[in-house]
Amino acid sequence: MNIEVTKDVAEFLEELAGEEGATKTEIVRRALSVLKAYKAQKQKGRSHLGFTNDPSKLDAEIVGILDS
């Protein structure tokens, strides 16, 4: 599969891959996993993803997606 992205997106993808010690393919897989999780939550009536300092206040949590 091949995808075309803007120069800015390509540079960001390269930067993320370097920072994470991962391939660009793996970064795209992780991003798609986040979108898949969002879609699943949206189907449950939860219309947004968020970040909080207090994990005890979460209804749902995405774990491990951004870990290497």
Side-chain angles (χ1 to χ4, degrees), residues 15-36:
E15 178 184 327
L16 283 175
E19 289 174 359
E20 294 292 319
T23 65
K24 292 183 277 186
T25 298
E26 178 59 25
I27 297 300
V28 171
R29 283 188 193 120
R30 292 178 192 180
L32 290 172
S33 292
V34 170
L35 289 171
K36 184 177 179 182

Side-chain angles (χ1 to χ4, degrees), residues 34-59:
V34 170
L35 289 171
K36 184 177 179 182
Y38 169 75
K39 182 178 178 181
Q41 292 304 310
K42 190 173 181 183
Q43 289 172 342
K44 294 179 181 181
R46 299 173 179 150
S47 61
H48 66 279
L49 292 175
F51 300 90
T52 181
N53 287 329
D54 185 352
S56 69
K57 294 183 179 180
L58 296 176
D59 287 337

Side-chain angles (χ1 to χ4, degrees), residues 62-68:
I62 299 171
V63 178
I65 291 174
L66 299 178
D67 296 336
S68 299

